[in-house]
Amino acid sequence: MSTGTSALGGLEHSRGRYAAGEPFARRSVEIRQNALGPDHPDVAADTAALAAILDGQGKYEEAEQLYRRALAIFERVHGPEPYKIAVNLSNLAALKQSTGQLMNLSGCTKRL
């Protein structure tokens, strides 16, 4: 079920229809979290996807919290170096740049 809702959220995101994709992305996070637990990498991936949708809508505060949550999960599971972490750091930096807060990344800028 989550894969389908995640795909629908991703489709709407790719079309630039962020508000339409948000309910699908939120449901996908909820389903995966209930099935796999809050610290599973699939939950982190869906959380990062939801963050991107929120970022696209200008909901920067919630998007940042979700990017950071996904990063924390990925780092616990994979360590500090893998690709998924780099992608999420890049997304977080883009969000901070768009809000004029690039220097407020709490240590993340050293890794970019």
Side-chain angles (χ1 to χ4, degrees):
M1 179 74 166
S2 177
T3 303
T5 56
S6 179
L8 289 171
L11 177 64
E12 296 299 347
H13 179 265
S14 69
R15 292 178 174 171
R17 295 172 30 177
Y18 307 115
E22 183 180 344
F24 296 116
R26 285 191 186 280
R27 182 69 178 136
S28 184
V29 170
E30 180 184 337
I31 291 168
R32 282 205 204 265
Q33 190 166 314
N34 288 337
L36 303 172
D39 294 324
H40 194 279
D42 290 347
V43 173
D46 282 357
T47 298
L50 173 58
I53 287 172
L54 295 172
D55 187 358
Q57 294 180 77
K59 297 179 179 180
Y60 301 123
E61 189 173 316
E62 185 179 4
E64 179 179 352
Q65 292 171 0
L66 293 175
Y67 280 137
R68 290 185 184 277
R69 179 175 162 216
L71 275 169
I73 295 168
F74 284 138
E75 287 179 333
R76 271 196 305 276
V77 172
H78 300 295
E81 299 300 323
Y83 172 77
K84 288 182 180 182
I85 292 170
V87 168
N88 278 279
L89 282 170
S90 176
N91 289 342
L92 181 57
L95 178 145
K96 294 305 255 179
Q97 182 179 20
S98 69
T99 61
Q101 301 175 19
L102 188 57
M103 298 313 294
N104 297 333
L105 281 172
S106 302
C108 292
T109 54
K110 293 177 185 173
R111 297 178 355 184
L112 293 176

